[in-house]
């Protein structure tokens, strides 16, 4: 059964409609329906799939499509209209579309979506020329320099049921050489390539041990499998945060596949009793719910590492993935041979990932990790996790020496990397630590090493984007942060802030404001995002709104100071800080 689910997110919406549909139907109903069916099957649907879109619904001759990436939404629209601009087939009505694209907040209710983002897209579509595309100003701003098509400024328009004027931009294939946008052949090739790359979400295995305290073990095994699969470059792997959002919830696999944008889902259960463990695993086609592979393992606990390797191997085999020699080596190596030490790290990791971040949990975690290192002094993963813990202490001020925590964390992570240079987690933690230490060159180097070892590592992908942002290249950081959101959609509230900062520093203030507003909706008590939103609004000339946001910030955190906030951020370029300050100054802020 499918659990009712209502969520909201910032999404790109494509609305398409057939030009003159009623006239075509009146002239040749059978031929029009046949032409429309072929258009959808041969062009529209495959192009949407190639650009990672989701067709939400068909309304007669109209179609509503959702994308997580505004760039992919616009490229999809351009590809469809370019491919559709040739001569009509003989003896068949020609299907010509108008397409509107918007970026905005949407509410997702089961299979359907609604909200301002959808309403504006629907109003933009009739404003497009036949065979053309009409976009909102925020789409034009968001995709500037990233999509090779020239849009003409359509000025401000007033449309039904929208209480503000819309600034629009228009494009038509006849207005520029077709070579500037993807050709039909290129679109078909991208479709083929997109379908050739399998995608997977690993759900948290169900704890069947009859002991709630064994939950850390089943979660840890699930996370280990995600970590291993993330090393495979020919596979799209959804991050732990998003997969684990379904923990304990009765959600149909097909719904999960649609929400996370994956083709297959791995689910299973673990029963641990004494020194024995039983693991069941099923690989399921998310499109139809069919089982692609299933197995049950009854083993001694000492065989747990071999079982994880077997499950990973069977998934790779079922998805017809050919591993490179390097991937084979990475999947076979690393870790510890001690089940007891591994168990202690799993306990520590589970405690660290709990929502409640307390000094007591910090102290317990350190104790478990030190015990693991007593058992296996060469366990790189334990050192890397210990480094992560002390980095969190630096942020949260748990211990009596939080200022020294950053140096301790660096010592631990250096030890982890020396013991196992092929552990992506160690390099990721090193990147975070050195970012706090303002050593952005090493941070860049470490995150590049992490991604060379684990191409699907969403947190590391975001870290690369954020590092480039702090180094002064916000434009370069945007695609990485957006890709991290694709792999970790449920954790988007974290990425939205950094994406907003990147757009703010790139001078794309409308887009920045949209991302900050979305994050505030998802994290109502954020002060950081409100400060940056006030700056973006100042640049946009929305002075009263900027001041209102600042008042909200002071209500959320009366002790907030902008100077203190900026001193903690490792911006390399003073010009970037000046841009943020300038936006606030335009609004007369801080008071």
């Amino acid at each position: 059964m499918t659990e009712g689910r209502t969520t909201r997110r910032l999404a790109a919406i494509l609305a398409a409609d057939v030009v003159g549909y009623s006239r075509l139907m009146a002239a040749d109903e059978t031929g029009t329906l046949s032409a429309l069916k072929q258009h959808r099957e041969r062009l529209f649907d495959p192009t949407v799939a190639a650009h990672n879109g989701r067709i939400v619904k068909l309304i007669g001759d109209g179609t509503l499509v959702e994308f997580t990436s505004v760039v992919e939404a616009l490229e999809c629209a351009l590809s469809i209209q370019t491919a559709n601009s040739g001569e009509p087939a003989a003896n068949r009505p020609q299907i010509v579309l108008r397409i509107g694209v918007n970026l905005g907040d949407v509410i997702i209710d089961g299979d359907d979506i609604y909200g301002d983002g959808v309403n504006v897209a629907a109003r933009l579509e009739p404003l497009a020329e036949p065979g053309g595309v009409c976009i909102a100003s925020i789409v034009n701003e968001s995709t500037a320099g990233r999509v090779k098509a020239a849009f003409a400024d359509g000025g401000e328009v007033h449309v039904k049921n929208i209480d503000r004027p819309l600034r629009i931009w228009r494009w038509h294939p006849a207005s520029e050489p077709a070579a500037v946008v993807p050709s039909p052949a290129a679109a078909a090739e991208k479709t083929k390539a997109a379908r050739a790359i399998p995608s997977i979400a690993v759900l948290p295995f169900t704890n069947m041990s009859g002991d709630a305290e064994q939950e850390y073990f089943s979660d840890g095994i699930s996370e280990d499998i995600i970590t291993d699969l993330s090393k495979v470059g020919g596979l799209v792997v959804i991050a732990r945060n998003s997969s684990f959002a379904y923990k304990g919830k009765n959600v149909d696999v097909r719904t999960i596949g649609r929400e996370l944008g994956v083709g297959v889902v791995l689910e299973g259960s673990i029963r641990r009793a004494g020194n024995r463990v039983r693991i069941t695993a099923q690989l399921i086609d998310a499109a139809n719910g069919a089982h692609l592979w299933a197995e049950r393992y009854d083993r001694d606990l000492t065989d747990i590492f071999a079982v994880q390797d077997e499950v990973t191997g069977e998934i790779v085999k079922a998805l017809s993935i050919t591993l490179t020699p390097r991937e084979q080596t990475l999947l076979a190596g690393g870790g510890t041979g001690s089940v007891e030490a591994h168990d202690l790290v799993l306990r520590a990791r589970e405690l660290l990932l709990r929502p409640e971040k307390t000094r007591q949990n910090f102290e317990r975690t350190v104790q478990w990790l030190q015990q693991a290192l007593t058992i296996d002094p060469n366990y790189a993963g334990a050192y890397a996790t210990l480094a992560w813990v002390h980095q969190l202490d630096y942020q949260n001020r748990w211990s009596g020496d939080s200022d020294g925590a950053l140096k301790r964390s660096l010592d631990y992570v250096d030890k982890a990397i020396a013991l196992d240079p092929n552990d992506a987690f160690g390099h990721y933690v090193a990147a975070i630590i050195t970012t706090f230490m303002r050593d952005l060159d090493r941070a860049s180097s470490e995150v590049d090493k992490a991604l060379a070892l684990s191409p699907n590592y969403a947190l590391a992908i975001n870290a690369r984007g954020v590092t480039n942002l702090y180094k002064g290249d916000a434009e370069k950081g945007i695609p990485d942060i957006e890709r991290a959101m694709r792999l970790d959609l449920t954790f988007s509230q974290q990425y939205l802030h950094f994406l907003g900062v990147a757009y703010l520093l790139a001078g794309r203030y409308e887009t920045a404001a949209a991302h900050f507003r979305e994050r505030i909706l998802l994290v109502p008590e954020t002060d950081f995002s409100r400060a940056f939103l006030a700056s973006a609004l100042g640049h946009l000339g929305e002075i009263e709104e900027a001041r209102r946001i600042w008042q909200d910030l002071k209500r959320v955190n009366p002790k907030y100071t902008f100077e203190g906030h900026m001193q903690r951020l490792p911006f390399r370029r003073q010009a970037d800080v000046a841009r943020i300050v300038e936006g606030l100054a335009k609004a007369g802020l801080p008071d």
Side-chain angles (χ1 to χ4, degrees):
M1 297 295 292
T2 300
E3 184 182 90
R5 296 171 61 80
T6 301
T7 57
R8 68 187 311 149
R9 60 172 172 251
L10 197 67
I13 304 299
L14 183 155
D17 200 50
V18 177
V19 177
Y21 182 70
S22 298
R23 173 180 52 78
L24 292 172
M25 287 289 285
D28 181 1
E29 181 175 304
T30 302
T32 298
L33 291 174
S34 175
L36 181 58
K37 181 180 179 181
Q38 289 192 29
H39 183 275
R40 285 173 174 163
E41 291 178 349
R42 296 180 182 180
L43 175 59
F44 194 92
D45 292 5
T47 307
V48 167
H51 293 85
N52 299 307
R54 176 176 79 89
I55 295 178
V56 177
K57 56 186 172 184
L58 303 174
I59 311 170
D61 59 317
T63 312
L64 196 65
V65 188
E66 177 201 6
F67 297 82
T68 57
S69 164
V70 66
V71 171
E72 289 189 313
L74 189 51
E75 287 182 341
C76 178
L78 296 170
S79 294
I80 290 169
Q81 297 295 55
T82 302
N84 206 42
S85 61
E87 292 296 319
N91 302 319
R92 195 173 73 213
Q94 184 179 22
I95 300 300
V96 178
L97 302 180
R98 288 188 177 93
I99 295 179
V101 181
N102 183 42
L103 174 67
D105 180 64
V106 300
I107 298 171
I108 301 154
D109 189 2
D111 293 342
D112 205 357
I113 60 175
Y114 56 95
D116 189 66
V118 177
N119 297 338
V120 172
R123 298 305 177 196
L124 292 171
E125 172 266 309
L127 301 177
E129 298 177 58
V133 180
C134 180
I135 62 176
S137 61
I138 190 172
V139 175
N140 185 66
E141 182 185 85
S142 301
T143 59
R146 302 169 67 191
V147 174
K148 295 181 179 179
F151 280 77
D153 189 346
E156 288 192 346
V157 298
H158 292 268
V159 296
K160 183 179 179 182
N161 295 332
I162 303 295
D163 60 3
R164 64 188 186 281
L166 298 178
R167 180 78 175 274
I168 65 169
W169 296 75
R170 293 189 178 98
W171 171 92
H172 192 276
S175 64
E176 59 182 341
V180 300
V181 295
S183 66
E189 187 61 31
K190 184 172 182 179
T191 301
K192 182 179 178 182
R195 289 178 169 177
I197 301 175
S199 51
I200 186 171
V202 178
L203 301 185
F205 281 29
T206 303
N207 172 27
M208 302 292 289
S209 302
D211 179 2
E213 293 196 2
Q214 292 296 317
E215 202 81 10
Y216 78 91
F217 184 76
S218 55
D219 285 355
I221 299 304
S222 309
E223 188 174 353
D224 283 346
I225 292 171
I226 293 173
T227 298
D228 282 344
L229 290 173
S230 294
K231 300 173 183 177
V232 181
L235 182 63
V236 174
V237 184
I238 297 301
R240 176 203 185 278
N241 292 312
S242 292
S243 291
F244 273 56
Y246 297 91
K247 182 178 173 67
K249 297 178 181 178
N250 185 21
V251 185
D252 189 278
V253 165
R254 288 165 292 190
T255 300
I256 295 171
R258 184 186 68 245
E259 292 181 350
L260 296 181
V262 295
V264 296
V265 172
L266 180 74
E267 63 177 14
S269 64
I270 296 180
R271 184 187 301 275
R272 180 178 175 181
N275 290 323
R276 296 288 294 177
V277 62
R278 169 177 290 178
I279 298 178
T280 64
Q282 301 86 229
L283 189 65
I284 303 171
D285 188 321
N288 54 29
H291 280 64
L292 302 175
W293 164 81
E295 188 59 83
R296 187 179 77 178
Y297 302 88
D298 286 298
R299 302 286 179 86
D300 288 334
L301 191 57
T302 52
D303 290 335
I304 190 63
F305 303 126
V307 172
Q308 290 177 205
D309 291 344
E310 286 182 42
V311 171
T312 302
E314 291 295 341
I315 292 169
V316 168
K317 185 190 302 181
L319 298 178
S320 301
I321 297 171
T322 301
L323 297 175
T324 66
R326 177 171 172 77
E327 288 169 345
Q328 292 174 356
T329 301
L330 290 174
L331 288 173
T336 179
S338 169
V339 172
E340 187 179 357
H342 182 248
D343 191 83
L344 286 164
V345 170
L346 292 187
R347 289 179 183 272
R349 203 162 66 191
E350 188 273 338
L351 198 58
L352 279 174
L353 291 169
R354 289 183 184 177
E356 58 274 12
K357 308 290 189 215
T358 66
R359 178 170 183 165
Q360 182 179 11
N361 285 353
F362 160 71
E363 292 172 347
R364 177 71 61 82
T365 299
V366 170
Q367 181 183 17
W368 280 335
L369 292 170
Q370 289 175 338
Q371 288 176 12
L373 288 168
T374 299
I375 297 167
D376 182 357
N378 295 317
Y379 191 178
Y383 277 112
T385 308
L386 200 53
W388 183 29
V389 174
H390 283 285
Q391 177 266 133
L392 291 173
D393 174 31
Y394 169 75
Q395 290 181 264
N396 293 283
R397 325 302 287 178
W398 289 319
S399 70
D401 184 24
S402 295
D403 288 334
L406 208 55
K407 176 61 170 64
R408 286 193 296 277
S409 65
L410 184 63
D411 291 341
Y412 283 128
V413 84
D414 284 343
K415 178 74 170 177
I417 292 171
L419 287 168
D420 186 0
N422 289 330
D423 180 18
F425 176 62
H427 291 292
Y428 164 70
V429 173
I432 299 303
I433 294 167
T434 51
T435 296
F436 278 115
M437 300 179 84
R438 298 177 182 267
D439 186 355
L440 297 177
D441 291 330
R442 179 173 176 186
S444 289
S445 174
E446 294 291 353
V447 80
D448 284 343
K449 291 174 183 176
L451 291 172
L453 296 164
S454 183
N456 285 281
Y457 199 165
L459 291 174
I461 294 169
N462 177 67
R464 183 168 64 185
V466 173
T467 302
N468 281 319
L469 180 161
Y470 285 135
K471 288 173 69 175
D473 196 347
E475 293 276 5
K476 187 176 180 181
I478 289 170
D480 276 330
I481 302 171
E482 289 179 339
R483 173 158 169 73
M485 290 180 67
R486 158 72 182 100
L487 295 174
D488 201 1
L489 194 58
T490 303
F491 200 53
S492 63
Q493 72 273 13
Q494 180 74 15
Y495 306 125
L496 279 166
H497 175 79
F498 291 113
L499 198 53
V501 176
Y503 277 115
L504 173 60
L505 297 182
R508 303 180 189 180
Y509 305 121
E510 186 178 2
T511 309
H515 285 90
F516 290 132
R517 283 191 173 108
E518 189 69 16
R519 183 166 194 266
I520 292 168
L521 284 172
L522 296 173
V523 187
E525 298 306 303
T526 175
D527 51 1
F528 285 9
S529 291
R530 281 185 169 87
F532 284 107
L533 173 57
S535 175
L537 292 171
H539 280 293
L540 290 169
E542 299 181 26
I543 307 305
E544 293 304 315
E545 179 66 5
R547 287 179 165 274
R548 186 188 68 78
I549 292 297
W550 193 265
Q551 289 173 355
D552 283 348
L553 182 159
K554 298 300 285 186
R555 173 188 55 78
V556 168
N557 182 6
K559 296 181 179 180
Y560 175 88
T561 66
F562 180 73
E563 295 78 9
H565 180 182
M566 297 307 293
Q567 286 173 3
R568 293 193 295 274
L569 300 180
F571 287 109
R572 174 174 286 179
R573 296 196 327 152
Q574 186 57 37
D576 290 332
V577 177
R579 184 185 291 269
I580 300 166
V581 172
E582 180 187 0
L584 292 174
K586 287 179 177 179
L589 298 170
D591 294 326

